[in-house]
Amino acid sequence: MPLLTIQNRQITWTSLLVLGYLFYLLLGAMVFQLLEKQSEIHFRDQFQLEKLKFLQNYTCLDRQALEQFVQVLMEAWVKGVNPEGNSTNPSNWDFSNSFFFAGTVITTIGYGNLSPSTVAGQIFCVFYALFGVPLNLAFLNQLGKGLSTHLITLERWVQKPGRAQMVQTLAVASFLTTGTLLFLIFPPLVFSYVEGWSYGEGFYFTFITLSTVGFGDYVVGTNPNNHYIPVYRSLTAIWIVFGLAWLAQVFSVAADLMEKFLQLKWYKPDLSLAEGATTKLENEPEQPRIHIPN
């Protein structure tokens, strides 16, 4: 196991990785708290002020009745019913939306804005995910191999005499650039146009979705004021599958490069111990052999 020697103490590479992982989580927690906490306090105070204004304008209501109505809105949102608009809003469980939901289950994205409300649907969802998640991983694995086939072929071609290493570098850069354009740069333009988001919001949704983080704060096809084509969410689900395969390849390569870089940087075997042991063996006089007669 690779070792790092600091002040005559050896630290394993695994320990360094664990410490780095914990440090990264702590760093993220502090930064998110710094960036988001004040905004949360502001919106919370603003919401309470709006409730007070509502009670002042509609004196027939008391605070308890308002809180009950807010609770009804929250329950509707949890059940996947958008409180905006009216009863003519499109169903969350038509075929296109159901196809999109099935994709979010087996890809483990799980936006959280929609979930089965019936016991039968919940039980089916468990077994559907139980078999669907491994199937999705196998499918993405094969799809990823297909996406990287041309890179393997190029690597064999580059290894031939007279081929420049720059060609392989350009090919990898082309693979990354093409995937970035198809899965990270162009889709936010479409989402911005269809959903009415800013480009930054569309890019945020794109990456959060393809990385399977899936917070659920932005989900396509949920605005009741928009008129979507029937296959909009189904096409989005297909885009997600191919985007997952590409980004998984990128993450895999990035993880390998990061591990190799850190191991090369921190792997410092204590050669002085080995040299000292070798010198000691060389300086020791040869012990006489004692022959024991039979």
Side-chain angles (χ1 to χ4, degrees), residues 221-259:
T222 58
N223 190 344
N225 299 321
N226 290 349
H227 298 284
Y228 303 101
I229 60 175
V231 294
Y232 172 63
R233 299 192 89 187
S234 299
L235 293 175
T236 303
I238 297 174
W239 162 79
I240 288 175
V241 170
F242 284 93
L244 284 174
W246 174 81
L247 194 59
Q249 291 291 316
V250 175
F251 282 161
S252 177
V253 172
D256 291 340
L257 292 176
M258 183 179 297
E259 185 173 354

Side-chain angles (χ1 to χ4, degrees), residues 7 25 32 56 58 108 120 136 181 199 272 294:
Q7 296 181 350
L25 289 176
F32 283 127
Q56 291 174 358
Y58 300 92
T108 69
N136 177 71
L181 292 175
Y199 183 83
S272 60
N294 293 331

Side-chain angles (χ1 to χ4, degrees), residues 1-4 10-16 263 267-270:
M1 181 177 294
L3 300 176
L4 168 65
Q10 292 182 335
I11 303 177
T12 64
W13 159 248
T14 303
S15 300
L16 282 175
Q263 285 185 339
Y267 177 47
K268 299 179 180 179
D270 194 352

Side-chain angles (χ1 to χ4, degrees), residues 29-59:
M30 291 188 294
V31 173
F32 283 127
Q33 182 182 26
L34 179 65
L35 296 176
E36 298 295 333
K37 188 173 182 179
Q38 291 301 321
S39 178
E40 179 196 27
I41 295 175
H42 170 72
F43 283 113
R44 182 181 297 172
D45 294 340
Q46 185 178 9
F47 178 68
Q48 295 298 329
L49 182 61
E50 291 296 330
K51 287 200 298 185
L52 290 176
K53 290 181 179 180
F54 188 83
L55 290 174
Q56 291 174 358
N57 294 331
Y58 300 92
T59 56

Side-chain angles (χ1 to χ4, degrees), residues 67-275:
E67 294 296 337
Q68 290 178 350
F69 182 67
V70 171
Q71 185 66 29
V72 170
L73 293 178
M74 293 179 61
E75 291 178 356
W77 181 259
V78 170
K79 297 296 183 181
V81 178
N82 195 326
E84 295 180 344
N86 49 43
S87 60
T88 61
N89 291 341
S91 172
N92 288 320
W93 295 105
D94 58 17
F95 181 79
S96 179
N97 289 335
S98 298
F99 182 85
F100 183 80
F101 174 77
T104 63
V105 171
I106 65 174
T107 56
T108 69
I109 294 175
Y111 287 115
N113 69 311
L114 184 64
S115 58
S117 59
T118 63
V119 176
Q122 292 170 350
I123 294 176
F124 174 76
C125 185
V126 171
F127 287 96
Y128 185 75
L130 182 64
F131 294 98
V133 171
L135 176 63
N136 177 71
L137 292 176
F139 175 75
L140 291 181
N141 185 38
Q142 291 299 117
L143 188 58
K145 290 180 180 179
L147 292 176
S148 60
T149 299
H150 69 284
L151 293 178
I152 298 175
T153 304
L154 181 62
E155 182 179 359
R156 295 173 181 173
W157 182 77
V158 170
Q159 289 175 352
K160 294 181 180 181
R163 307 300 186 185
Q165 188 68 23
M166 183 61 68
V167 177
Q168 185 179 21
T169 304
L170 291 175
V172 174
S174 176
F175 173 77
L176 295 176
T177 302
T178 304
T180 302
L181 292 175
L182 290 177
F183 299 114
L184 293 180
I185 302 301
F186 290 152
L189 295 174
V190 178
F191 297 137
S192 299
Y193 175 77
V194 176
E195 302 291 342
W197 300 337
S198 66
Y199 183 83
E201 291 172 324
F203 183 81
Y204 167 79
F205 163 78
T206 298
F207 185 82
I208 292 300
T209 294
L210 297 185
S211 60
T212 70
V213 176
F215 291 121
D217 47 353
Y218 290 89
V219 182
V220 297
T222 58
N223 190 344
N225 299 321
N226 290 349
H227 298 284
Y228 303 101
I229 60 175
V231 294
Y232 172 63
R233 299 192 89 187
S234 299
L235 293 175
T236 303
I238 297 174
W239 162 79
I240 288 175
V241 170
F242 284 93
L244 284 174
W246 174 81
L247 194 59
Q249 291 291 316
V250 175
F251 282 161
S252 177
V253 172
D256 291 340
L257 292 176
M258 183 179 297
E259 185 173 354
K260 291 178 181 178
F261 171 76
L262 292 177
Q263 285 185 339
L264 288 175
K265 182 177 180 180
W266 293 106
Y267 177 47
K268 299 179 180 179
D270 194 352
L271 298 178
S272 60
L273 295 178
E275 293 176 355

